[in-house]
Every structure is written in structure tokens, then in C-alpha cells.
Amino acid sequence: MSKRRTKIVATLGPASESADVIEKLILAGMDVARLNFSHGTADDHRQKAKLVRDIAKRHRRYVALMGDLQGPKIRIARFANTRVELSNGQAFVLSNDHPADAGNADIVGIDYPPLVQDCAPGDELLLDDGRIILQVDKVENNAVYTTVTAGGELSNHKGINRRGGGISAPSLTDKDRADILLAAELEVDYIAVSFPRYGRDMQQARELVQQAGSNAWIVAKIERAEAVADDEALDDIISASDAVMVARGDLGVEVGDARLVGIQKRIIQHARTLNKLVITATQMMESMVSSPIPTRAEVSDVANAVLDHTDAVMLSGESAAGKYPVEAVSAMARICVGAEQEPVNKRSQHRLWERFERCDDTIALSAMYAANHFPGIKAIISLSESGRTPLIMSRIRSSVPIFCFTRHESTQNRAALFRGVYSMPFDAAAYAPEDVNQAAISCLVAHKIVHPGDWVILTQGDLYCPQGGTNGMKILQVT
């Protein structure tokens, strides 16, 4: 059983779609496999999802599947010669009327026509993740006229951001709606929504997911400036979601690099306070696309996210298209384990002065208080239907492993993303009520997680309680 508490999300792509590499990724520590719907066909994703499920089952591992929706394509069109070189100070035009495949160093078409209405003189437009910066001079004749303030090479279909946000594109496109149906077919555990601005965007996504017959949890990718404009805006999106992703690519472009780290810490803190999962993503190990060893700065980046108590760290291009996908997962796992050794990760000051609103929350947080203050506790067993009780437990800093004992495969997979939580297949209804506790402890003994003389905390609901009815906690000694 892994002692690593922080989970790893790895994106599957051309470098990691074979059975051999997927198996190595799972063995190296991949807890969640991300299917990026921006690339590949439906059949590609079907094949990768089946490989993940089959290989994980063969190794008795629980690996969640995440379907990541593309969202609105706010991009330039194409150049006649694939790419151009822009110089500082030159004029450059983004035009709705220019032919889509005939861009040049003076003008290029736009794949997102409403950009013309979203821009005004004085705005800054950032292309290709901020590598190219354009100052808007005027907007007329269905085109945006700009001056290049930071030049360089620009190629086909690069993304466009507006400094400070304000692009009016809706979060969900027709492609996203089709991909939600595919995600439901694949029975993914999480669906990530790109570019939400408000909580109502996430509510709309949830309705579409439910209509598709899926019970996947919904992840808000925080990547627009509007989403982090203030605490009220951020909490609106977090509260409407099951999890959030700190998507630092577009977010960093819109808010600026100088503010990004502080905003990342705020998102993680707010998500945990609101009992939601949080994933830190984008360029965490970027150099490992072409190098087998991370830089010291990348090590620090991953470690700091772990110290902030993120649930998961994510690999994108590193595992999808890089030369060293397995090495990237292994390095990330090693860094997580190293950072988790710091004492700050094992002590919690969380919610000491708060009131609890639900019975199951009260049991979950009481269990964590006991686990952190009674040195004999070696493990926590949560008998759970939905996974909510171990989720709430995992909001508290601790070094004690939390085991989600559940009969539902969907809950087993979903818990793969919860920090410090590990799934165990267990059907309490298969035992007489007086035998359940011993049967659960025997599972941990069989896996050599606990030994005679150790203490275990066990939480459960009475048999007459409905789902969400965890109302009891026991401290039991292993015999």
C-alpha cells in the first residue's frame, strides 16, 4: 500500500496510449487518468479508457478516469505558410473577414468571431499562452487592429486571452455536449469543465451530465480572471462543483504571472474549506517533456502544492506527449512523498472553532481529531456508500491513512483522487452486524497495514440510516 497521500493525475496521449506504457504509469503511481477531449477521436478515448480499467483491475488498483472538455476555442485561424515571425512595434490585424487559411505577418483570421465585440482600444491580447502580446489600437470593419508589444514566432490556431479576462465565450459548446455523452458512455468518474466564469456554468454542466445518465463528479477548471476576481466569485464556482482544478496556463495569462502563485494558494485554501477536491495543474514538470530529470524549480513547485495540501498534482504534456511519461510520474510521486514528510503536513489547526452542520461531518472530523491526538491510531476505516465521509476526513491534515471501505466500484474509483484516502472493496451487508468490525479490520491485517496491538478508528452508519447517514465512530484495538 502506497504511503503517498497526494494523488497524481496523468494525461494520456500519443506518448502514453499503449497498454505497456499505461501499465507502467499505473505502477509508477498514476491515480487518475485524464482523457483530453481536445485531442483524439471518440474511439481513441474508448480504447484508452478500456485499457486503464482492465490494467488497473489486473493489478488490483483503483484508477479514476477524468474526461476533460475542450471548452470554447478562442483562437486565431491559420497562416498560409503555417507560421510567421512578429516584430515588436509592427502592426498586426485579427480579422473576421480574412480567409481562414491565408494568414500572413500582417493579418490573420479569427476562429472566434465575437472577439471583435469583446475588445476595446487599450486592451492587451495575449496569444500562445502569453508568448505574443498585442496592444489593441482600434476595432472597426469587423477586425481588431493592434501593435505588437512582445513579438516572436506565431503558428496556426494559437489561443487568444484578454488581459484581465472579459472574453464572453460560453463555457459549454456543441462539441462539449457531445463529449459529455461520450464521457457518460465511458463511465468516467470526473468530468472537467473548461473556462467556467460563474457557478451557473457549473450547474448547467451538472444538469447535462445527469441528463446523459452519468453520476460523474464535476470539476471546475479555474482559468478565467472573472473566476478569481474576488472571494465571492471564487466561492460561487467552487460551491457549484465537486472539485476544482488550478489550471495555471490560461489563468496565468489572464491574471499575470506575478499574481498566479498567490491565487493558486487561495484556490486551494477555499476548496478545502468548502469540502471540495482540488487539483494543481499545468507545467508542473514541463522540462521532463524532453529531459528525464526535473529542474529544482519544478521540484519546488510540486512540493509547495503538496505543502498547501492540494489533493492532486497533474501532468499534461509531460505524460501525454513527452519523451519520459513514466519517469515524470515516478519523479512526481517521489517529490510528493518527500514533501509529505514535513511536520506541517501532519498537524491540523483546521476548524477548531467552527460549528458542524451535519451528523456525518461531525463524525468525520471527530475521527480525524482522535486520529491526530491518539498516537496508537494506525489507520482509519470509513464504511461508506458515496465516499463523502472519507472526503470530509481528507480535508484535515494528518499522517494517518484513511481507507474507504465500500461495495460500489464507482466510489472506489472516485476516491482515487481524495488526498490520503485508499479504497478497499467491502460489502458490510455480507456480514452479520456483530461481525462487520472484525471483518473490516481483518482486511487491513491481511494487507499488513495494521498489526496486533495497533488501534484503528472505524466509522459507519446504523443499518437503518440512509445514504449519508454515518453516525457512529469506534476506536478498536487489533487483536
Side-chain angles (χ1 to χ4, degrees):
M1 180 65 64
S2 170
K3 294 182 179 179
R4 173 172 48 84
R5 300 181 71 83
T6 310
K7 304 305 178 73
I8 295 174
V9 183
T11 305
L12 301 184
S16 53
E17 59 189 5
S18 70
D20 179 59
V21 175
I22 288 175
E23 182 171 39
K24 289 177 180 177
L25 291 176
I26 291 174
L27 295 177
M30 178 176 71
D31 300 292
V32 182
R34 173 177 173 249
L35 306 176
N36 186 355
F37 290 151
S38 297
H39 306 286
T41 66
D43 283 342
D44 291 336
H45 297 306
R46 290 187 182 100
Q47 182 179 12
K48 284 182 279 194
K50 186 177 188 307
L51 284 172
V52 170
R53 293 290 195 221
D54 291 347
I55 295 169
K57 182 172 291 187
R58 187 163 73 241
H59 288 282
R60 297 183 179 180
R61 286 282 308 277
Y62 295 102
V63 178
L65 283 175
M66 178 185 294
D68 196 328
L69 304 179
Q70 176 177 278
K73 295 175 67 174
I74 308 172
R75 304 177 186 275
I76 60 171
R78 299 184 299 280
F79 295 101
N81 295 317
T82 308
R83 63 191 71 241
V84 299
E85 187 75 25
L86 300 182
S87 302
N88 290 2
Q90 78 164 79
F92 190 65
V93 181
L94 307 173
S95 171
N96 280 334
D97 297 331
H98 194 73
D101 57 355
N104 55 52
D106 299 316
I107 187 170
V108 71
I110 314 171
D111 282 346
Y112 178 68
L115 181 70
V116 173
Q117 285 79 49
D118 291 340
C119 291
D123 286 349
E124 270 192 329
L125 298 180
L126 302 103
L127 281 59
D128 192 12
D129 287 339
R131 294 179 177 88
I132 305 292
I133 302 177
L134 310 176
Q135 183 83 29
V136 177
D137 300 321
K138 62 180 180 178
V139 181
E140 61 181 39
N141 300 325
N142 217 19
V144 181
Y145 294 81
T146 75
T147 298
V148 178
T149 58
E153 185 179 89
L154 182 63
S155 56
N156 295 341
H157 296 304
K158 293 304 182 184
I160 306 172
N161 294 87
R162 178 177 175 270
R163 180 82 76 189
I167 300 294
S168 60
S171 291
L172 294 167
T173 66
D174 290 342
K175 173 175 168 49
D176 294 333
R177 289 177 169 83
D179 285 337
I180 286 173
L181 296 177
L182 174 62
E185 174 197 331
L186 300 180
E187 297 183 344
V188 303
D189 305 289
Y190 295 92
I191 294 177
V193 179
S194 297
F195 300 106
R197 289 179 292 172
Y198 312 107
R200 61 177 178 268
D201 296 331
M202 299 307 298
Q203 292 165 0
Q204 179 190 13
R206 188 180 299 279
E207 290 169 5
L208 290 171
V209 169
Q210 291 174 345
Q211 289 169 13
S214 171
N215 64 353
W217 282 19
I218 311 301
V219 183
K221 296 172 67 178
I222 307 296
E223 48 195 337
R224 280 183 162 169
E226 295 94 326
V228 294
D230 52 41
D231 286 350
E232 183 178 1
L234 177 59
D235 288 351
D236 180 44
I237 288 183
I238 294 174
S239 297
S241 311
D242 300 302
V244 296
M245 180 189 297
V246 190
R248 303 182 305 179
D250 285 283
L251 180 62
V253 171
E254 293 210 355
V255 304
D257 291 340
R259 292 192 59 210
L260 182 60
V261 174
I263 289 173
Q264 171 180 314
K265 290 178 177 290
R266 177 155 57 98
I267 294 171
I268 294 172
Q269 178 191 359
H270 281 235
R272 295 189 63 81
T273 299
L274 293 170
N275 294 330
K276 306 300 171 122
L277 300 167
V278 56
I279 304 162
T280 306
T282 316
Q283 294 182 332
M284 299 209 82
M285 313 278 276
E286 183 75 4
S287 74
M288 293 195 73
V289 169
S290 56
S291 169
I293 301 173
T295 68
R296 290 288 184 266
E298 289 166 343
V299 171
S300 294
D301 184 31
V302 173
N304 274 306
V306 172
L307 292 171
D308 287 337
H309 227 56
T310 190
D311 283 278
V313 285
M314 191 176 104
L315 296 167
S316 299
E318 303 96 329
S319 59
K323 295 180 179 179
Y324 304 98
V326 177
E327 290 84 351
V329 172
S330 296
M332 186 169 264
R334 184 174 67 250
I335 296 163
C336 290
V337 170
E340 288 166 4
Q341 304 312 303
E342 287 302 302
V344 69
N345 271 295
K346 304 173 184 179
R347 294 194 300 264
S348 176
Q349 298 293 320
H350 192 39
R351 307 184 195 198
L352 289 182
W353 300 277
E354 290 185 22
R355 295 180 59 181
F356 306 145
E357 301 298 329
R358 292 174 47 142
C359 175
D360 52 351
D361 287 3
T362 304
I363 295 296
L365 296 170
S366 298
M368 296 310 297
Y369 189 91
N372 283 344
H373 289 81
F374 182 16
I377 301 294
K378 301 302 181 184
I380 301 167
I381 297 173
S382 174
L383 304 184
S384 181
E385 292 284 301
S386 68
R388 176 180 167 82
T389 299
L391 168 66
I392 300 302
M393 290 176 176
S394 69
R395 301 307 84 191
I396 302 299
R397 292 176 184 263
S398 178
S399 60
V400 180
I402 303 162
F403 293 92
C404 176
F405 276 50
T406 179
R407 58 181 173 156
H408 301 293
E409 186 174 357
S410 59
T411 302
Q412 292 161 3
N413 290 328
R414 183 183 298 141
L417 186 57
F418 301 1
R419 180 174 176 128
V421 176
Y422 314 95
S423 292
M424 286 271 189
F426 187 83
D427 185 1
Y431 301 91
E434 64 271 17
D435 295 332
V436 169
N437 295 350
Q438 186 56 54
I441 292 175
S442 294
C443 287
L444 296 188
V445 172
H447 285 85
K448 299 181 180 180
I449 295 165
V450 296
H451 303 89
D454 292 341
W455 292 87
V456 172
I457 292 176
L458 186 145
T459 67
Q460 65 186 122
D462 292 329
L463 295 180
Y464 59 80
C465 282
Q467 182 171 316
T470 297
N471 66 350
M473 179 185 90
K474 294 181 180 179
I475 300 179
L476 304 169
Q477 190 166 32
V478 181
T479 56

